Amino acid sequence: MTEQLQEVYSLLIPVAGGKLILPRVSVAEVTGFLRPKPVRNAPDWLMGLINWQGQEIPLVSFEGLCGRKVPERANRTRIAVVHAIGEQINPPVFALMTQGYPYLVRVNPAVLSVDQEADFGVDAPVLNRVRMANERPFTPDVEAIEEKLLEVMPERRFTDTSTATGSGTATEIPLPPA
């Protein structure tokens, strides 16, 4: 008999006007703010590229993606590096600017329900909003964010989809002699 998952560790990520919720395993790292390198002709929501683990990755403003004003950097601004799930973007991560420190919460069926109010825009990369104790965080649509990034930066699309396993680039590892 398979045991059903009863609890998921998640991060509540502060953004202007609310919070996002993501499973903890989908966030690679939370780091201090890094000044992004501008991307020519980029929309406001694409703040630029940051260096993360020796790779340049896009820094995104979730608020800007939702058609709202991109917030200014503040003392508590952080960056959450999110694993891509669509297996199309290379490298398979992107960064979200936060408006405070993300914090860990335990989510289980007793504290979580879908909020029927959809007060985000039609084109917003949001799957839904949930009710969780006294919080009402948005569940971001990570695949939609990836698609928007690929529209602006098509050179980041994996060209050989057979290597798009979410592990970055395909590398041959030599086997030792038999």
Side-chain angles (χ1 to χ4, degrees):
M1 186 170 154
T2 60
E3 190 174 315
Q4 210 173 31
L5 186 64
Q6 294 297 315
E7 202 165 65
V8 176
Y9 283 92
S10 300
L11 283 177
L12 280 178
I13 301 171
V15 294
K19 292 185 176 103
L20 304 177
I21 188 165
L22 282 170
R24 171 61 192 98
V25 297
S26 66
V27 177
E29 181 179 0
V30 175
T31 184
F33 185 80
L34 303 167
R35 183 176 304 281
K37 180 174 94 176
V39 174
R40 190 179 320 189
N41 300 322
D44 290 345
W45 57 263
L46 178 54
M47 302 182 69
L49 299 172
I50 62 167
N51 189 323
W52 182 74
Q53 295 189 352
Q55 303 175 85
E56 284 191 331
I57 65 171
L59 176 60
V60 172
S61 162
F62 184 79
E63 299 87 343
L65 273 172
C66 292
R68 297 182 181 143
K69 182 178 183 267
V70 174
E72 296 292 323
R73 178 187 177 277
N75 287 339
R76 296 176 51 94
T77 300
R78 296 291 177 263
I79 292 174
V81 179
V82 178
H83 291 288
I85 59 175
E87 297 185 346
Q88 294 182 47
I89 194 167
N90 186 18
V93 291
F94 62 89
L96 282 174
M97 187 172 81
T98 77
Q99 294 304 305
Y101 300 99
Y103 55 95
L104 191 63
V105 293
R106 293 180 354 194
V107 177
N108 62 56
V111 299
L112 186 70
S113 64
V114 175
D115 190 336
Q116 299 305 318
E117 285 185 39
D119 59 351
F120 42 89
V122 175
D123 293 333
V126 175
L127 293 172
N128 59 24
R129 190 169 205 173
V130 295
R131 287 187 184 274
M132 195 181 93
N134 59 351
E135 301 282 354
R136 293 181 55 221
F138 294 102
T139 307
D141 186 341
V142 174
E143 285 183 290
I145 295 170
E146 292 171 44
E147 283 301 319
K148 289 190 180 278
L149 282 168
L150 289 171
E151 287 172 12
V152 175
M153 306 173 82
E155 69 279 5
R156 295 231 171 222
R157 185 177 300 275
F158 274 108
T159 54
D160 178 3
T161 57
S162 67
T163 62
T165 60
S167 60
T169 59
T171 305
E172 284 191 29
I173 300 172
L175 297 175

